[in-house]
Amino acid sequence: MSHFGRTGPPDISDTYSLLILNITFRTTADDLFPLFDKYGKVVDIFIPKDRRTGESRGFAFVRYKYADEASKAVDRLDGRMVDGREITVQFAKYGPNAEKIHKGRIIETSPKPNSRHRSRSRSPRKRHRDDYRDRDYRRRSRSRSYDRSERDRYRGRDRDYRRRSRSRSASPDNKSRRRGRYDDERRSRSPVRSVDSLSPAQHSPSPRRSPSPKKIISPQRSASPRKSPRGESPDNRRHDRRSASPRSVSPRGHPDASRSPSPRNSNGDE
DNA sequence: GTTGAGCGTT
């Protein structure tokens, strides 16, 4: 059952490969096997997974032993609802090594080395989901050496690079525009570490909220530092830094109240 | 935890 795809290509000499598209990211070979096996002898089922996340990429390859059975499976299973999605079943056009395939069967061995490596003239794709992947990988790319070496090993396979070759080189405007909601979430909690990297001076409850850093000490504040119930909240501090105008904004909406406590203190107190 | 055009591994 689960042995599909784990032992490598068992026998591609006389098999007919079917490409299954639009399967869910949770669909496994075990889920597909009973379906396809009903229409013929299934030699192998392979679901390409992402090397980094290990998740399914959303399509699968089913290899039949006989062409007529494969053809029948295409006819019967194409458009079939699997796991809530309508799958697309068709004969594979390319082999594992970029061989040309006719009706799922390899009719040509790997192309000449000096010739064009990959004659896969595919229509331009958009790959918008690379955005999430890219940021996701960078996040867990703590060990770059592993990720790097892994990519090197698979260098030459455009399908491994097609997803990476698009971003990075895009204009900054484009990048910011293509950010999805996931990026927003990440940025939302980014400030957290910013606070962590702040200097200790900013960590302490900042009594200096007046525009004049020199005269930060106020007698009233020193005498009653607890006057403001939320004046020492870390969240408040962070908010102040962003607002850059803490005193101009009063919780009650009275700007005068902020400065009224000691208008002369600001200049006469020292 | 999410997503959705397409062609593949120990």
Side-chain angles (χ1 to χ4, degrees):
Chain A
M1 301 192 177
S2 302
H3 59 278
F4 287 127
R6 294 191 180 179
T7 56
D11 178 21
I12 62 175
S13 56
D14 232 356
T15 59
Y16 299 84
S17 296
L18 261 51
L19 172 66
I20 319 302
L21 293 175
N22 212 36
I23 65 176
T24 65
F25 299 105
R26 290 182 285 255
T27 303
T28 64
D30 295 339
D31 300 330
L32 299 176
F33 176 74
L35 252 138
F36 286 84
D37 192 60
K38 292 191 301 184
Y39 301 99
K41 174 67 173 176
V42 174
V43 180
D44 180 54
I45 295 181
F46 172 63
I47 298 181
K49 302 189 188 72
D50 194 284
R51 285 179 176 71
R52 287 163 290 263
T53 64
E55 289 184 75
S56 168
R57 282 161 64 182
F59 61 96
F61 291 98
V62 176
R63 277 210 289 264
Y64 276 96
K65 180 63 179 173
Y66 303 104
D68 58 331
E69 295 176 343
S71 181
K72 187 166 60 180
V74 173
D75 185 55
R76 302 299 171 91
L77 296 178
D78 184 41
R80 183 72 149 258
M81 204 66 124
V82 174
D83 201 18
R85 284 184 70 89
E86 201 177 73
I87 66 173
T88 298
V89 181
Q90 56 191 230
F91 280 101
K93 299 185 297 188
Y94 307 105
N97 292 69
E99 304 96 337
K100 288 173 187 167
I101 284 188
H102 178 63
K103 290 299 178 186
R105 182 171 180 262
I106 302 176
I107 60 178
E108 270 190 23
T109 53
S110 39
K112 294 184 279 266
N114 52 5
S115 184
R116 36 187 193 169
H117 293 336
R118 302 217 136 205
S119 40
R120 292 187 177 182
S121 49
R122 289 154 47 194
S123 52
R125 60 273 177 181
K126 4 195 177 173
R127 306 222 63 85
H128 30 277
R129 58 184 291 227
D130 283 326
D131 285 337
Y132 98 84
R133 303 183 110 155
D134 209 277
R135 69 143 181 91
D136 205 357
Y137 297 156
R138 277 182 297 179
R139 177 183 56 171
R140 65 182 65 186
S141 256
R142 293 184 292 100
S143 52
R144 288 187 191 82
S145 50
Y146 173 74
D147 190 50
R148 193 87 58 96
S149 58
E150 193 179 50
R151 281 187 300 168
D152 287 348
R153 282 166 49 195
Y154 292 98
R155 179 164 295 177
R157 302 213 158 194
D158 50 349
R159 41 191 189 279
D160 272 315
Y161 282 165
R162 65 186 176 182
R163 48 174 75 138
R164 290 188 160 275
S165 51
R166 38 97 249 171
S167 62
R168 298 276 202 273
S169 55
S171 59
D173 169 60
N174 198 355
K175 283 197 289 190
S176 58
R177 298 298 293 172
R178 292 175 94 72
R179 288 311 180 195
R181 60 177 186 271
Y182 301 119
D183 200 64
D184 284 347
E185 287 182 351
R186 287 179 53 74
R187 286 189 304 179
S188 300
R189 48 194 187 194
S190 292
V192 175
R193 67 169 166 84
S194 299
V195 174
D196 192 40
S197 59
L198 286 175
S199 57
Q202 301 189 4
H203 266 282
S204 59
S206 54
R208 41 155 184 177
R209 300 173 66 177
S210 59
S212 307
K214 303 164 196 149
K215 344 185 165 177
I216 53 179
I217 306 300
S218 175
Q220 290 186 345
R221 290 191 180 276
S222 301
S224 308
R226 299 287 179 177
K227 225 165 187 177
S228 297
R230 50 184 291 190
E232 58 183 0
S233 170
D235 186 57
N236 197 341
R237 285 193 290 107
R238 185 170 59 84
H239 186 69
D240 289 349
R241 292 180 71 257
R242 295 170 59 104
S243 293
S245 306
R247 73 169 168 84
S248 53
V249 176
S250 176
R252 288 177 180 78
H254 295 276
D256 288 347
S258 299
R259 50 169 61 172
S260 68
S262 53
R264 47 181 172 83
N265 274 357
S266 302
N267 53 20
D269 179 65
E270 174 55 44

